[in-house]
Amino acid sequence: MSQVTSARGRPGPSIADVARLAGVSQQTVSRVSTGATNVRAETRDRVLAAMDQLGYSPNHAARALRSGSFGTIGLIAHRLTRTGESRTFEGVVEAARQHGYSVTLVDVRTPSSSDVSDAVRRLDHQAIDGLVVIRAEDATPDTLALPPRLPVVVSDSRFVGHHPAVGTDQAEGASLAVQHLLDLGHPTVHHVGGPLDSTPARVRADAWRTRLRAAGRPVPEEWHGDWSAASGYEVGARIADDPSVTAVFCANDEMAAGVVRALHEAGRRVPEDVSVVGFDDIPMAEYLWPPLTTVRQDFTAIGAELVELLMRQIRDRSRLAGHHVVVPTTLVERASTAPPRPR
């Protein structure tokens, strides 16, 4: 019988206690604790809830000493439907596979500290060697509860000094986009930003303002979308009504696609009347009409760097808290931008 001992020396809850509370067999509890996939979702949730209620944690350290490694890393993400999260996840999975590791995913409902910390506890009940956290938007190093000895890497520069971090140079990318439009001769650049609760959206918007101010250009009022093409289309209809707008920098490619369609339907041509730049360089960007000028993020490189930092901690048992890898961005010039027409 698997049993843990409390800090005061009294026996802690056993696997049998968990099985009894969850109404399952001890074998099922064992399968859940090792991350086996042949357990129904509702059964797994019931077992994890029982573990939480009893304060039971499998002896992962002893099991790892016997096997050397679990061969699995955990990954916590928020809104995998979004381009950045989904493509970073793909990059992590591919890089982990090259190291002989599989990935256990938990997609949290909100980026709040409580939801992310709850997801960490769920993963801690399973057999993982390390943890990747993608975009813990609302969490901070002080509010995010992570297991003390679990190797962790985050795709969020706010955690530098607490956990090793990997991220794209968002500010550089936004600055490249704005400068490209200014160099073409546009008097200023309007911006369709992402959600206000998104850190990457705020960084890109701040860089847009900074570049315009450094160039001595007026800073227009910022529009906001929710990363979707539909929200870009909605904003694009308002942009089309303003003949003074000649250049637009969108915080991602999906919103840029919506803006381009709205402009087209209003009879405003891209790039003859309005130049449009996106961000991300998603696969469809070069197949839009016109092909979209955009800022490329190398999500494969981000995933590879995240896994490499995690592997260094797992292999070497080293602390890399202050380690910060910045993956550069590049501007991809296509046909959606051009000099403004003479008035």
Side-chain angles (χ1 to χ4, degrees):
M1 179 183 298
S2 173
Q3 184 170 308
V4 296
T5 302
S6 71
R8 296 179 181 178
R10 295 193 298 269
S14 68
I15 194 171
D17 296 326
V18 175
R20 191 178 304 111
L21 181 59
V24 299
S25 68
Q26 294 184 42
Q27 184 179 13
T28 298
V29 175
S30 178
R31 286 203 298 269
V32 171
S33 68
T34 56
T37 57
N38 58 337
V39 181
R40 288 185 302 177
E42 59 269 26
T43 302
R44 178 179 290 105
D45 289 344
R46 200 162 68 245
V47 171
L48 291 173
M51 288 178 174
D52 277 339
Q53 184 176 334
L54 294 172
Y56 174 85
S57 181
N59 193 344
H60 290 173
R63 206 178 305 147
L65 285 172
R66 290 196 299 272
S67 63
S69 170
F70 299 122
T72 301
I73 61 176
L75 185 144
I76 295 174
H78 171 53
R79 291 184 186 170
L80 275 175
T81 54
R82 297 195 303 203
T83 297
E85 280 77 352
S86 62
R87 295 188 65 191
T88 302
F89 170 65
E90 291 171 0
V92 168
V93 169
E94 178 55 35
R97 183 184 296 118
Q98 293 176 12
H99 283 275
Y101 279 72
S102 60
V103 178
T104 296
L105 167 69
V106 175
D107 188 14
V108 296
R109 286 183 298 178
T110 74
S112 66
S113 297
S114 58
D115 273 11
V116 174
S117 297
D118 182 60
V120 172
R121 285 193 295 272
R122 288 168 59 192
L123 282 172
D124 194 34
H125 285 311
Q126 302 179 32
I128 60 172
D129 295 298
L131 177 66
V132 178
V133 180
I134 298 178
R135 202 83 68 234
E137 305 266 23
D138 293 344
T140 67
D142 294 326
T143 62
L144 186 59
L146 296 173
R149 286 172 294 280
L150 182 69
V152 174
V153 63
V154 295
S155 181
D156 193 327
S157 60
R158 294 173 304 150
F159 289 80
V160 172
H162 299 264
H163 302 289
V166 178
T168 295
D169 195 336
Q170 310 279 346
E172 176 199 45
S175 184
L176 287 172
V178 175
Q179 190 60 51
H180 168 66
L181 292 166
L182 294 179
D183 288 344
L184 287 172
H186 293 277
T188 190
V189 178
H190 290 71
H191 183 48
V192 180
L196 291 171
D197 65 350
S198 167
T199 300
R202 290 195 297 268
V203 171
R204 294 170 200 180
D206 287 345
W208 159 72
R209 290 188 198 92
T210 299
R211 184 90 293 278
L212 287 179
R213 287 169 181 155
R217 306 299 177 86
V219 180
E221 183 180 354
E222 180 182 356
W223 291 295
H224 287 280
D226 63 5
W227 297 126
S228 70
S231 70
Y233 178 80
E234 200 173 300
V235 172
R238 300 204 296 273
I239 293 173
D241 288 337
D242 186 349
S244 70
V245 178
T246 66
V248 180
F249 164 48
C250 300
N252 76 338
D253 291 343
E254 284 93 335
M255 292 193 299
V259 167
V260 169
R261 176 179 167 180
L263 290 170
H264 170 75
E265 291 181 357
R268 300 196 68 190
R269 297 170 300 167
V270 176
E272 291 86 353
D273 299 318
V274 182
S275 288
V276 179
V277 178
F279 201 107
D280 285 336
D281 194 27
I282 62 177
M284 77 169 185
E286 63 179 313
Y287 296 101
L288 295 172
W289 188 255
L292 184 67
T293 296
T294 185
V295 175
R296 176 176 293 162
Q297 295 196 79
D298 191 340
F299 293 104
T300 300
I302 294 169
E305 292 287 358
L306 285 165
V307 172
E308 181 57 35
L309 284 182
L310 200 60
M311 292 299 110
R312 285 175 59 186
Q313 294 177 79
I314 293 169
R315 285 193 311 259
D316 307 336
R317 302 188 183 280
S318 58
R319 286 184 53 80
L320 303 172
H323 211 81
H324 184 202
V325 176
V326 178
V327 178
T329 52
T330 55
L331 181 73
V332 181
E333 295 184 39
R334 298 193 178 104
S336 67
T337 53
R341 290 191 306 164
R343 293 189 179 276

